[in-house]
Amino acid sequence: MPESAGKRGPDRAGHFGPFGGRYVAETLMTALIDLEKAYREAVGDRRFREKLDVMLREYAGRPTPLYFASRLTAKGKGAKIFLKREDLAFTGSHKINNTLGQGLLAARLGKRRVIAETGAGQHGVATATVCAMMGISCAVYMGEEDIRRQEMNVFRMRLLGAEVLPVLSGSRTLKDAMNEALRDWVTNVRTTHYLIGSTAGPHPYPMMVRDFQSVIGKETIRQFRKTEGGLPSAVVACVGGGSNAMGIFTPFLGEHHVRLVGVEAGGLGLATGSHGAPLCRGRPGVLHGSKSFVLQDRDGQIREAHSISAGLDYPGVGPEHAFLKATGRATYVAVTDQEALQGFDLLARTEGILPALESSHAVAYGFRLARKMRKSESVIINLSGRGDKDIAIVAEARRADRVPH
Amino acid sequence: MSRIEETFTRLGNTGEKGLVVYLTAGDPNPRDFLSYLHGAADGGADVLEVGIPFSDPMADGPTIQAACRRSLAGGMTTERALSLVSSFRKIHDTPVVMFGYYNPFLQYGVRDFCRDARSAGADGVLVVDLPPEEAGEMAPEASRSGLDWIALVSPTSDGERVRRAISIGSGFLYLISVTGITGVRKSLPPRLLRWTREVKAQTRLPVAVGFGISHPAMACAATSHADAAVVGSACVKIVERHGAGRKGPDALRRFVRSLKTGMR
């Protein structure tokens, strides 16, 4: 069940402090206002919440387990490490939590067509899945570069009946897919719901996606209390647009002694400029309809991001993360491509789990953090997705490095 | 009275329809852009919209996206765009509206931008992604600097939103003809004329219709109930086709003249 809207911000106009808002063309404003209204009505409607709960349980396979990673813990010799297993959610990542919620909302709004943007393809697959299940037509915008590196997910989407539309502009990644999806939406706004997959974009998306994803954190608290008692010392999640991180952070926001750490894509290293770490190295700006931290040049032109993981290859970030950074409630760090690959290997070899490259960033940092903590403490890593989709990329990186395997 | 208001008053007195021409600053390069801008003014454009290029122009179609890329590749910046307007102003009196997406203005500094745009000789500012809900960040500053705030209404704006746009706008009201992105279209949407009349009845601001207008007959039809037509992508296509050199600005001048003649 989603958090009741507005309970924890944003304000009525969608601002989280100085961040957020609705920086969009006039043509989209009415759709955003209608969407927010429909969303607030839906979460106030017991039948909608029950329907979503049933779908999350019986279709998506929730709750996902909170797994004690004993071998990883032993290797770290520090805090106990737990993994929130979103990789076990249907379609292979946390994305399904939000697509189910927005899918039901699209039906409520009477929209017969859904569009989405996707980077790694996880959100595209989750959207295509829900659309197939609900009988709604689906088009997914995906950068040509991402289509190349996430071929399997492209095939999955097509098998599910979705149309995958290649985006050739700009860096041909997630940012450009989002531009193109917004252009489609502004053209077909009367018939189409834009199912944004992250806590980015204009209000009400950052709020709505967070609420739909906060099921992750709520389950985590319940599960941790049951087996361990109390609360963990730290929660670690990767941050691209930031939906899995907001999902697990949100129920912990009021628990001030729980450290919340967001891990951005350090790419080739923060000093190289080739990364996807706007919270670590960006400045406040406006991109894709909201004000947040953005990678940009002096003139406000958006810079291309870089990450080995397509899902983190984005120069912006959700506005609530900017707010949590500004207030100090969460801290944000970066992990490089190489470190993420090490995190991938580490989890594969110690726990038999192949994490998505996005989640590998959280694994790498979470493990490093746990090593420095006491054995009496606990760290929860949000394992946002599974790594099957990334096997070819990992293999390619190995060849490039001539690492013998 | 602002230069934009004066222009529309003059047009109103003679019963003539106005023509607003859009070009992307620095396209195809800074020097030739200036020749194109002069060409448009010489051809009879009544208002010029000078686009500040943006890396991610979400509301624009392929033509203006490409113009932004050419302009940025040539090193265009907000600062240089203003200095081009300043050069233009030394020769022509045609009102200039600075057109763009919010982030470049925000990074320049909203107050600094409004002040510098005014002193460069600009007369108005239009920010695509600042709807009335967010316009408070810039519209008051623009007015204080003596710039008109060009507000937009779209086919999805209900009565309340139209009233809100009218209340914050000045200079003229930009009426977006279709739900969609910028770009050349073959025909005008069927409901456009009735809707234009409805909006027109609610305001004393001149109403300019834009998006998709690509030839004189369309400009003429679009202005049957409006005060002006905005032609963007069709003009940018001339820049795209001719690039640098003297032929392009001449071609643009002739095209602009044909649009003006077509609206008589």
Side-chain angles (χ1 to χ4, degrees):
Chain A
M1 190 203 304
E3 188 98 338
S4 73
K7 193 167 147 194
R8 192 181 290 288
D11 67 14
R12 297 296 295 188
H15 295 105
F16 300 91
F19 303 107
R22 282 170 290 196
Y23 298 85
V24 295
E26 170 64 17
T27 308
L28 292 180
M29 279 305 300
T30 301
L32 291 174
I33 292 165
D34 291 349
L35 178 60
E36 181 185 354
K37 191 161 163 275
Y39 172 67
R40 289 188 194 274
E41 281 166 11
V43 292
D45 177 351
R46 193 169 49 86
R47 281 167 312 172
F48 179 88
R49 296 197 310 264
E50 282 170 3
K51 203 167 170 184
L52 180 57
D53 278 349
V54 169
M55 297 307 287
L56 288 171
R57 197 170 60 235
E58 292 170 12
Y59 191 70
R62 303 204 71 87
T64 60
L66 181 68
Y67 167 71
F68 171 52
S70 59
R71 294 236 307 144
L72 192 61
T73 300
K75 196 173 168 70
K77 301 189 180 77
K80 286 171 110 174
I81 301 171
F82 292 82
L83 304 174
K84 179 58 175 165
R85 297 293 305 274
E86 291 300 298
D87 60 318
L88 294 178
F90 182 44
T91 72
S93 81
H94 71 292
K95 293 293 186 187
I96 192 80
N97 306 329
N98 169 51
T99 52
L100 277 173
Q102 283 196 51
L104 291 176
L105 205 55
R108 209 179 155 97
L109 281 161
K111 301 284 169 92
R112 300 302 306 155
R113 177 175 180 261
V114 158
I115 56 170
E117 81 296 331
T118 197
Q122 292 303 93
H123 173 58
V125 167
T127 305
T129 300
V130 167
C131 288
M133 183 261 287
M134 296 180 67
I136 298 176
S137 113
C138 176
V140 179
Y141 287 92
M142 190 167 184
E144 202 187 35
E145 167 68 13
D146 291 337
I147 287 181
R148 189 188 62 76
R149 55 181 170 174
Q150 300 286 354
E151 198 184 359
M152 192 178 83
N153 274 344
V154 175
F155 192 55
R156 283 170 83 191
M157 285 184 267
R158 289 186 174 141
L159 287 175
L160 292 161
E163 191 184 358
V164 179
L165 302 164
V167 176
L168 305 175
S169 56
S171 55
R172 306 179 177 199
T173 60
L174 182 54
K175 163 182 88 97
D176 311 285
M178 201 150 172
N179 286 334
E180 218 47 60
L182 282 161
R183 288 181 187 122
D184 181 316
W185 200 33
V186 84
T187 307
N188 302 299
V189 60
R190 290 191 174 101
T191 58
T192 298
H193 174 64
Y194 180 14
L195 208 162
I196 293 184
S198 198
T199 48
H203 179 64
Y205 287 99
M207 167 183 83
M208 189 169 70
V209 177
R210 172 201 67 193
D211 291 351
F212 285 135
Q213 290 294 1
S214 62
V215 65
I216 304 172
K218 279 185 228 165
E219 284 176 8
T220 303
I221 288 187
R222 205 169 57 230
Q223 291 163 327
F224 191 85
R225 281 221 169 102
K226 199 169 164 195
T227 61
E228 300 296 304
L231 290 165
S233 305
V235 176
V236 180
C238 66
V239 177
S243 70
N244 88 82
M246 278 320 303
I248 197 163
F249 286 177
T250 297
F252 287 100
L253 288 176
E255 311 288 349
H256 287 276
H257 50 285
V258 179
R259 273 176 73 182
L260 304 175
V261 186
V263 186
E264 294 195 296
L268 304 179
L270 291 182
T272 65
S274 288
H275 56 76
L279 289 165
C280 293
R281 282 290 185 278
R283 292 199 318 279
V286 169
L287 174 66
H288 294 151
S290 60
K291 195 183 277 177
S292 184
F293 280 71
V294 180
L295 297 179
Q296 55 186 321
D297 70 12
R298 201 182 133 258
D299 292 302
Q301 306 299 339
I302 308 307
R303 279 182 30 210
E304 289 180 9
H306 165 83
S307 172
I308 191 165
S309 71
L312 304 185
D313 200 345
Y314 182 61
V317 64
E320 195 168 2
H321 283 295
F323 182 64
L324 295 179
K325 176 188 157 82
T327 58
R329 178 61 192 95
T331 50
Y332 295 89
V333 297
V335 152
T336 65
D337 289 351
Q338 278 309 317
E339 291 166 327
L341 285 166
Q342 286 159 13
F344 181 96
D345 284 344
L346 179 66
L347 201 63
R349 300 293 173 87
T350 56
E351 298 290 348
I353 298 169
L354 300 182
L357 280 174
E358 291 78 12
S359 322
S360 300
H361 287 71
V363 170
Y365 188 82
F367 180 69
R368 205 194 302 162
L369 182 67
R371 291 182 86 157
K372 291 183 285 191
M373 289 164 60
R374 287 193 299 274
K375 286 191 172 166
S376 58
E377 295 181 291
S378 300
V379 173
I380 295 175
I381 298 170
N382 196 18
L383 203 66
S384 56
R386 68 178 185 215
D388 310 49
K389 69 182 176 62
D390 292 318
I391 288 170
I393 297 168
V394 174
E396 198 180 310
R398 288 260 162 68
R399 275 194 296 277
D401 279 1
R402 296 199 194 89
V403 178
H405 272 276
Chain B
M1 198 186 269
S2 78
R3 195 156 17 206
I4 294 173
E5 285 172 320
E6 279 172 17
T7 299
F8 278 101
T9 305
R10 173 179 55 76
L11 290 168
N13 290 341
T14 58
E16 198 184 322
K17 299 294 183 179
L19 176 65
V20 182
V21 167
Y22 168 92
L23 294 170
T24 303
D27 176 31
N29 61 58
R31 205 190 45 174
D32 287 290
F33 164 74
L34 208 49
S35 308
Y36 278 104
L37 205 58
H38 287 308
D42 291 336
D46 299 293
V47 176
L48 294 165
E49 284 181 358
V50 173
I52 303 287
F54 185 48
S55 52
D56 296 77
M58 298 170 334
D60 284 300
T63 304
I64 293 175
Q65 288 175 44
C68 285
R69 277 199 299 276
R70 288 193 296 272
S71 159
L72 290 171
M76 188 48 39
T77 63
T78 308
E79 214 172 340
R80 294 179 74 184
L82 290 177
S83 88
L84 289 170
V85 168
S86 174
S87 307
F88 172 80
R89 186 53 78 229
K90 285 179 190 136
I91 299 179
H92 276 105
D93 252 348
T94 315
V96 169
V97 172
M98 303 307 296
F99 176 106
Y101 291 82
Y102 186 44
N103 200 47
F105 298 135
L106 180 63
Q107 301 308 321
Y108 191 99
V110 166
R111 179 176 297 181
D112 291 351
F113 177 80
C114 292
R115 183 198 60 215
D116 293 354
R118 188 72 193 116
S119 57
D123 306 284
V125 60
L126 189 166
V127 188
V128 183
D129 49 355
L130 279 185
E133 280 78 355
E134 307 292 350
E137 289 192 29
M138 193 163 178
E141 206 57 61
S143 311
R144 268 195 288 279
S145 304
L147 294 169
D148 280 318
W149 182 260
I150 311 302
L152 299 105
V153 293
S154 98
T156 57
S157 312
D158 61 12
E160 175 56 34
R161 298 196 63 79
V162 170
R163 279 190 291 280
R164 208 162 160 192
I166 288 167
S167 74
I168 63 164
S170 63
F172 63 90
L173 187 68
Y174 191 129
L175 186 146
I176 301 170
S177 68
V178 287
T179 58
I181 52 178
T182 61
V184 168
R185 286 177 177 80
K186 287 198 179 74
S187 60
L188 294 169
R191 275 170 301 191
L192 175 66
L193 296 186
R194 211 184 78 195
W195 185 54
T196 312
R197 207 162 49 217
E198 283 168 19
V199 171
K200 189 72 189 128
Q202 293 180 56
T203 180
R204 294 171 69 181
L205 280 177
V207 172
V209 177
F211 276 43
I213 298 171
S214 56
H215 56 74
M218 272 174 98
C220 181
T223 49
S224 61
H225 294 88
D227 303 285
V230 187
V231 181
S233 296
C235 294
V236 172
K237 270 180 177 295
I238 293 175
V239 181
E240 182 178 83
R241 195 176 316 131
H242 295 273
R246 297 207 24 206
K247 275 193 180 157
D250 272 348
L252 181 64
R253 180 176 49 77
R254 284 195 303 275
F255 178 61
V256 167
R257 181 144 293 155
S258 75
L259 289 167
K260 274 299 278 187
T261 313
M263 289 194 297
R264 288 226 177 93

